[in-house]
């Protein structure tokens, strides 16, 4: 279980990650289309894994807390994304296509981050190998 300070840290990190991703999509919506978009998907893999590592470091997560901490960050950030995409899509982009591509990129990042958290937790021996 996470301590209160870890929960607060994870929530702050979630907002920071969400704000950075929203700013990126808003500032460079063309980075999500065509070949640049494909490359963006691939280059987001190490970024997502680095984010998992950063969550572990900033929140000072122990091996058995990695999944819980990363889930808090992903859940918070997904809620921010859902609210923004539903009621404030202009935060991301002015066109529906850019918002759809941003949504796909964000979901991809969450998926890679979830797998990364699972791998980190497994590496620290917190997942049963039964």
């Amino acid at each position: 279980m996470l301590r209160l300070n870890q929960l607060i840290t994870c929530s702050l990190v979630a907002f920071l990650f969400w704000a950075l991703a929203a700013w990126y999509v808003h500032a460079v919506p063309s980075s999500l289309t065509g070949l640049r978009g494909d490359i963006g998907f691939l280059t987001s893999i190490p970024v997502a894994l680095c984010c998992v590592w950063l969550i572990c470091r900033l929140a000072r997560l122990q091996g058995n807390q990695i999944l819980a901490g990363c889930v808090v960050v992903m859940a918070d950030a997904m809620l921010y994304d859902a609210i923004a995409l539903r009621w404030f899509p202009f935060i991301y982009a002015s066109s529906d296509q850019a918002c759809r591509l941003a949504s796909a990129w964000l979901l991809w990042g969450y998926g890679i981050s979830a797998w990364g958290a699972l791998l980190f937790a497994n590496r620290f021996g917190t997942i049963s190998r039964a």
Side-chain angles (χ1 to χ4, degrees), residues 68-97:
C70 289
V71 165
V72 167
V73 172
M74 288 186 288
D76 283 357
M78 280 189 264
L79 288 172
Y80 300 143
D81 279 328
I83 290 166
L85 285 164
R86 174 63 181 102
W87 289 292
F88 310 101
F90 58 86
I91 289 174
Y92 294 101
S94 58
S95 75
D96 285 343
Q97 180 185 4

mmCIF file of all heavy atoms in Angstrom, residues 68-97:
data_model
loop_
_atom_site.group_PDB
_atom_site.id
_atom_site.type_symbol
_atom_site.label_atom_id
_atom_site.label_comp_id
_atom_site.label_asym_id
_atom_site.label_seq_id
_atom_site.Cartn_x
_atom_site.Cartn_y
_atom_site.Cartn_z
ATOM 1 N N ALA A 68 1.142 -0.360 -7.805
ATOM 2 C CA ALA A 68 0.157 0.548 -7.208
ATOM 3 C C ALA A 68 0.473 2.003 -7.548
ATOM 4 O O ALA A 68 -0.414 2.770 -7.938
ATOM 5 C CB ALA A 68 0.105 0.359 -5.693
ATOM 6 N N GLY A 69 1.726 2.394 -7.430
ATOM 7 C CA GLY A 69 2.110 3.768 -7.727
ATOM 8 C C GLY A 69 1.886 4.132 -9.179
ATOM 9 O O GLY A 69 1.361 5.202 -9.496
ATOM 10 N N CYS A 70 2.267 3.231 -10.066
ATOM 11 C CA CYS A 70 2.088 3.491 -11.498
ATOM 12 C C CYS A 70 0.610 3.500 -11.879
ATOM 13 O O CYS A 70 0.194 4.296 -12.730
ATOM 14 C CB CYS A 70 2.864 2.477 -12.325
ATOM 15 S SG CYS A 70 4.653 2.731 -12.225
ATOM 16 N N VAL A 71 -0.184 2.671 -11.248
ATOM 17 C CA VAL A 71 -1.627 2.679 -11.524
ATOM 18 C C VAL A 71 -2.239 4.002 -11.084
ATOM 19 O O VAL A 71 -3.091 4.562 -11.785
ATOM 20 C CB VAL A 71 -2.332 1.475 -10.854
ATOM 21 C CG1 VAL A 71 -3.836 1.659 -10.817
ATOM 22 C CG2 VAL A 71 -1.978 0.196 -11.586
ATOM 23 N N VAL A 72 -1.817 4.533 -9.947
ATOM 24 C CA VAL A 72 -2.326 5.832 -9.498
ATOM 25 C C VAL A 72 -1.994 6.908 -10.535
ATOM 26 O O VAL A 72 -2.859 7.701 -10.920
ATOM 27 C CB VAL A 72 -1.751 6.210 -8.113
ATOM 28 C CG1 VAL A 72 -2.020 7.668 -7.785
ATOM 29 C CG2 VAL A 72 -2.329 5.313 -7.037
ATOM 30 N N VAL A 73 -0.755 6.921 -11.001
ATOM 31 C CA VAL A 73 -0.349 7.924 -11.990
ATOM 32 C C VAL A 73 -1.160 7.759 -13.273
ATOM 33 O O VAL A 73 -1.707 8.732 -13.810
ATOM 34 C CB VAL A 73 1.168 7.835 -12.282
ATOM 35 C CG1 VAL A 73 1.548 8.739 -13.449
ATOM 36 C CG2 VAL A 73 1.967 8.198 -11.044
ATOM 37 N N MET A 74 -1.252 6.534 -13.776
ATOM 38 C CA MET A 74 -1.986 6.315 -15.029
ATOM 39 C C MET A 74 -3.472 6.617 -14.875
ATOM 40 O O MET A 74 -4.076 7.226 -15.766
ATOM 41 C CB MET A 74 -1.767 4.884 -15.528
ATOM 42 C CG MET A 74 -0.372 4.668 -16.073
ATOM 43 S SD MET A 74 -0.125 3.063 -16.831
ATOM 44 C CE MET A 74 -0.105 1.996 -15.407
ATOM 45 N N ALA A 75 -4.062 6.228 -13.763
ATOM 46 C CA ALA A 75 -5.492 6.487 -13.561
ATOM 47 C C ALA A 75 -5.769 7.986 -13.492
ATOM 48 O O ALA A 75 -6.716 8.475 -14.132
ATOM 49 C CB ALA A 75 -5.975 5.788 -12.293
ATOM 50 N N ASP A 76 -4.959 8.715 -12.744
ATOM 51 C CA ASP A 76 -5.145 10.166 -12.660
ATOM 52 C C ASP A 76 -4.989 10.814 -14.032
ATOM 53 O O ASP A 76 -5.822 11.619 -14.450
ATOM 54 C CB ASP A 76 -4.142 10.794 -11.687
ATOM 55 C CG ASP A 76 -4.504 10.587 -10.233
ATOM 56 O OD1 ASP A 76 -5.566 10.006 -9.945
ATOM 57 O OD2 ASP A 76 -3.703 11.016 -9.377
ATOM 58 N N ALA A 77 -3.907 10.477 -14.730
ATOM 59 C CA ALA A 77 -3.654 11.080 -16.042
ATOM 60 C C ALA A 77 -4.758 10.718 -17.042
ATOM 61 O O ALA A 77 -5.167 11.561 -17.846
ATOM 62 C CB ALA A 77 -2.282 10.652 -16.563
ATOM 63 N N MET A 78 -5.245 9.485 -16.980
ATOM 64 C CA MET A 78 -6.343 9.096 -17.880
ATOM 65 C C MET A 78 -7.611 9.875 -17.582
ATOM 66 O O MET A 78 -8.353 10.241 -18.500
ATOM 67 C CB MET A 78 -6.615 7.588 -17.783
ATOM 68 C CG MET A 78 -5.637 6.764 -18.580
ATOM 69 S SD MET A 78 -6.117 5.035 -18.665
ATOM 70 C CE MET A 78 -5.149 4.357 -17.349
ATOM 71 N N LEU A 79 -7.869 10.130 -16.315
ATOM 72 C CA LEU A 79 -9.035 10.946 -15.966
ATOM 73 C C LEU A 79 -8.885 12.368 -16.514
ATOM 74 O O LEU A 79 -9.846 12.929 -17.057
ATOM 75 C CB LEU A 79 -9.236 10.974 -14.451
ATOM 76 C CG LEU A 79 -9.747 9.673 -13.838
ATOM 77 C CD1 LEU A 79 -9.712 9.759 -12.319
ATOM 78 C CD2 LEU A 79 -11.150 9.360 -14.321
ATOM 79 N N TYR A 80 -7.691 12.943 -16.394
ATOM 80 C CA TYR A 80 -7.451 14.267 -16.968
ATOM 81 C C TYR A 80 -7.657 14.246 -18.480
ATOM 82 O O TYR A 80 -8.270 15.161 -19.039
ATOM 83 C CB TYR A 80 -6.034 14.764 -16.659
ATOM 84 C CG TYR A 80 -5.698 14.889 -15.206
ATOM 85 C CD1 TYR A 80 -4.428 14.571 -14.741
ATOM 86 C CD2 TYR A 80 -6.630 15.332 -14.269
ATOM 87 C CE1 TYR A 80 -4.101 14.688 -13.398
ATOM 88 C CE2 TYR A 80 -6.305 15.445 -12.930
ATOM 89 C CZ TYR A 80 -5.039 15.120 -12.508
ATOM 90 O OH TYR A 80 -4.710 15.233 -11.182
ATOM 91 N N ASP A 81 -7.126 13.211 -19.131
ATOM 92 C CA ASP A 81 -7.296 13.086 -20.585
ATOM 93 C C ASP A 81 -8.770 12.975 -20.954
ATOM 94 O O ASP A 81 -9.229 13.623 -21.895
ATOM 95 C CB ASP A 81 -6.561 11.851 -21.121
ATOM 96 C CG ASP A 81 -5.084 12.099 -21.317
ATOM 97 O OD1 ASP A 81 -4.699 13.247 -21.631
ATOM 98 O OD2 ASP A 81 -4.315 11.145 -21.162
ATOM 99 N N ALA A 82 -9.501 12.144 -20.240
ATOM 100 C CA ALA A 82 -10.920 11.946 -20.550
ATOM 101 C C ALA A 82 -11.700 13.245 -20.394
ATOM 102 O O ALA A 82 -12.520 13.594 -21.256
ATOM 103 C CB ALA A 82 -11.509 10.851 -19.655
ATOM 104 N N ILE A 83 -11.441 13.967 -19.314
ATOM 105 C CA ILE A 83 -12.139 15.241 -19.089
ATOM 106 C C ILE A 83 -11.784 16.234 -20.187
ATOM 107 O O ILE A 83 -12.661 16.884 -20.764
ATOM 108 C CB ILE A 83 -11.797 15.798 -17.690
ATOM 109 C CG1 ILE A 83 -12.438 14.921 -16.606
ATOM 110 C CG2 ILE A 83 -12.241 17.255 -17.558
ATOM 111 C CD1 ILE A 83 -11.918 15.171 -15.208
ATOM 112 N N ALA A 84 -10.491 16.344 -20.485
ATOM 113 C CA ALA A 84 -10.055 17.300 -21.501
ATOM 114 C C ALA A 84 -10.589 16.928 -22.883
ATOM 115 O O ALA A 84 -11.080 17.801 -23.611
ATOM 116 C CB ALA A 84 -8.534 17.384 -21.522
ATOM 117 N N LEU A 85 -10.504 15.657 -23.247
ATOM 118 C CA LEU A 85 -10.959 15.250 -24.578
ATOM 119 C C LEU A 85 -12.468 15.382 -24.724
ATOM 120 O O LEU A 85 -12.969 15.683 -25.805
ATOM 121 C CB LEU A 85 -10.508 13.818 -24.882
ATOM 122 C CG LEU A 85 -9.025 13.678 -25.206
ATOM 123 C CD1 LEU A 85 -8.600 12.223 -25.104
ATOM 124 C CD2 LEU A 85 -8.717 14.254 -26.575
ATOM 125 N N ARG A 86 -13.202 15.187 -23.654
ATOM 126 C CA ARG A 86 -14.661 15.274 -23.730
ATOM 127 C C ARG A 86 -15.160 16.715 -23.712
ATOM 128 O O ARG A 86 -15.967 17.118 -24.520
ATOM 129 C CB ARG A 86 -15.293 14.480 -22.576
ATOM 130 C CG ARG A 86 -16.796 14.610 -22.450
ATOM 131 C CD ARG A 86 -17.490 14.055 -23.700
ATOM 132 N NE ARG A 86 -18.914 14.195 -23.616
ATOM 133 C CZ ARG A 86 -19.608 15.139 -24.256
ATOM 134 N NH1 ARG A 86 -18.994 16.017 -24.999
ATOM 135 N NH2 ARG A 86 -20.912 15.186 -24.149
ATOM 136 N N TRP A 87 -14.667 17.515 -22.767
ATOM 137 C CA TRP A 87 -15.234 18.846 -22.570
ATOM 138 C C TRP A 87 -14.330 19.999 -23.005
ATOM 139 O O TRP A 87 -14.805 21.110 -23.192
ATOM 140 C CB TRP A 87 -15.640 19.025 -21.115
ATOM 141 C CG TRP A 87 -16.835 18.191 -20.775
ATOM 142 C CD1 TRP A 87 -18.113 18.355 -21.234
ATOM 143 C CD2 TRP A 87 -16.865 17.050 -19.934
ATOM 144 N NE1 TRP A 87 -18.925 17.383 -20.716
ATOM 145 C CE2 TRP A 87 -18.188 16.562 -19.899
ATOM 146 C CE3 TRP A 87 -15.900 16.375 -19.182
ATOM 147 C CZ2 TRP A 87 -18.567 15.453 -19.173
ATOM 148 C CZ3 TRP A 87 -16.284 15.265 -18.456
ATOM 149 C CH2 TRP A 87 -17.603 14.821 -18.443
ATOM 150 N N PHE A 88 -13.038 19.730 -23.144
ATOM 151 C CA PHE A 88 -12.101 20.798 -23.516
ATOM 152 C C PHE A 88 -11.114 20.332 -24.590
ATOM 153 O O PHE A 88 -9.895 20.430 -24.403
ATOM 154 C CB PHE A 88 -11.321 21.270 -22.284
ATOM 155 C CG PHE A 88 -12.191 21.598 -21.105
ATOM 156 C CD1 PHE A 88 -12.334 20.690 -20.054
ATOM 157 C CD2 PHE A 88 -12.876 22.801 -21.044
ATOM 158 C CE1 PHE A 88 -13.140 20.986 -18.968
ATOM 159 C CE2 PHE A 88 -13.684 23.104 -19.959
ATOM 160 C CZ PHE A 88 -13.827 22.194 -18.918
ATOM 161 N N PRO A 89 -11.593 19.816 -25.714
ATOM 162 C CA PRO A 89 -10.688 19.238 -26.716
ATOM 163 C C PRO A 89 -9.693 20.252 -27.288
ATOM 164 O O PRO A 89 -8.632 19.871 -27.774
ATOM 165 C CB PRO A 89 -11.618 18.700 -27.794
ATOM 166 C CG PRO A 89 -12.893 19.456 -27.627
ATOM 167 C CD PRO A 89 -12.987 19.746 -26.153
ATOM 168 N N PHE A 90 -10.012 21.535 -27.204
ATOM 169 C CA PHE A 90 -9.103 22.567 -27.710
ATOM 170 C C PHE A 90 -7.775 22.574 -26.967
ATOM 171 O O PHE A 90 -6.793 23.140 -27.450
ATOM 172 C CB PHE A 90 -9.763 23.951 -27.624
ATOM 173 C CG PHE A 90 -10.177 24.335 -26.234
ATOM 174 C CD1 PHE A 90 -9.283 24.933 -25.367
ATOM 175 C CD2 PHE A 90 -11.468 24.068 -25.792
ATOM 176 C CE1 PHE A 90 -9.669 25.279 -24.076
ATOM 177 C CE2 PHE A 90 -11.859 24.411 -24.503
ATOM 178 C CZ PHE A 90 -10.952 25.013 -23.641
ATOM 179 N N ILE A 91 -7.733 21.949 -25.783
ATOM 180 C CA ILE A 91 -6.469 21.835 -25.057
ATOM 181 C C ILE A 91 -5.464 21.062 -25.897
ATOM 182 O O ILE A 91 -4.272 21.373 -25.908
ATOM 183 C CB ILE A 91 -6.668 21.152 -23.686
ATOM 184 C CG1 ILE A 91 -7.423 22.094 -22.749
ATOM 185 C CG2 ILE A 91 -5.337 20.712 -23.074
ATOM 186 C CD1 ILE A 91 -7.804 21.468 -21.424
ATOM 187 N N TYR A 92 -5.960 20.062 -26.623
ATOM 188 C CA TYR A 92 -5.085 19.236 -27.447
ATOM 189 C C TYR A 92 -4.910 19.805 -28.846
ATOM 190 O O TYR A 92 -3.797 19.966 -29.313
ATOM 191 C CB TYR A 92 -5.613 17.803 -27.524
ATOM 192 C CG TYR A 92 -5.572 17.106 -26.200
ATOM 193 C CD1 TYR A 92 -6.721 16.966 -25.433
ATOM 194 C CD2 TYR A 92 -4.386 16.616 -25.689
ATOM 195 C CE1 TYR A 92 -6.682 16.352 -24.198
ATOM 196 C CE2 TYR A 92 -4.338 15.994 -24.453
ATOM 197 C CZ TYR A 92 -5.488 15.868 -23.721
ATOM 198 O OH TYR A 92 -5.445 15.266 -22.498
ATOM 199 N N ALA A 93 -6.002 20.051 -29.539
ATOM 200 C CA ALA A 93 -5.911 20.504 -30.929
ATOM 201 C C ALA A 93 -7.244 21.079 -31.370
ATOM 202 O O ALA A 93 -8.266 20.895 -30.707
ATOM 203 C CB ALA A 93 -5.514 19.334 -31.826
ATOM 204 N N SER A 94 -7.205 21.743 -32.508
ATOM 205 C CA SER A 94 -8.427 22.366 -33.023
ATOM 206 C C SER A 94 -9.219 21.452 -33.938
ATOM 207 O O SER A 94 -10.374 21.736 -34.243
ATOM 208 C CB SER A 94 -8.077 23.664 -33.754
ATOM 209 O OG SER A 94 -7.173 23.382 -34.805
ATOM 210 N N SER A 95 -8.640 20.349 -34.379
ATOM 211 C CA SER A 95 -9.366 19.455 -35.295
ATOM 212 C C SER A 95 -9.683 18.118 -34.633
ATOM 213 O O SER A 95 -8.943 17.644 -33.760
ATOM 214 C CB SER A 95 -8.545 19.212 -36.566
ATOM 215 O OG SER A 95 -7.480 18.320 -36.310
ATOM 216 N N ASP A 96 -10.777 17.523 -35.084
ATOM 217 C CA ASP A 96 -11.166 16.207 -34.566
ATOM 218 C C ASP A 96 -10.130 15.146 -34.901
ATOM 219 O O ASP A 96 -9.855 14.260 -34.088
ATOM 220 C CB ASP A 96 -12.536 15.794 -35.122
ATOM 221 C CG ASP A 96 -13.675 16.533 -34.463
ATOM 222 O OD1 ASP A 96 -13.469 17.110 -33.372
ATOM 223 O OD2 ASP A 96 -14.779 16.529 -35.039
ATOM 224 N N GLN A 97 -9.557 15.221 -36.098
ATOM 225 C CA GLN A 97 -8.557 14.228 -36.484
ATOM 226 C C GLN A 97 -7.342 14.293 -35.557
ATOM 227 O O GLN A 97 -6.844 13.262 -35.112
ATOM 228 C CB GLN A 97 -8.104 14.413 -37.922
ATOM 229 C CG GLN A 97 -7.062 13.377 -38.314
ATOM 230 C CD GLN A 97 -6.492 13.576 -39.698
ATOM 231 O OE1 GLN A 97 -6.813 14.544 -40.369
ATOM 232 N NE2 GLN A 97 -5.653 12.660 -40.113
#
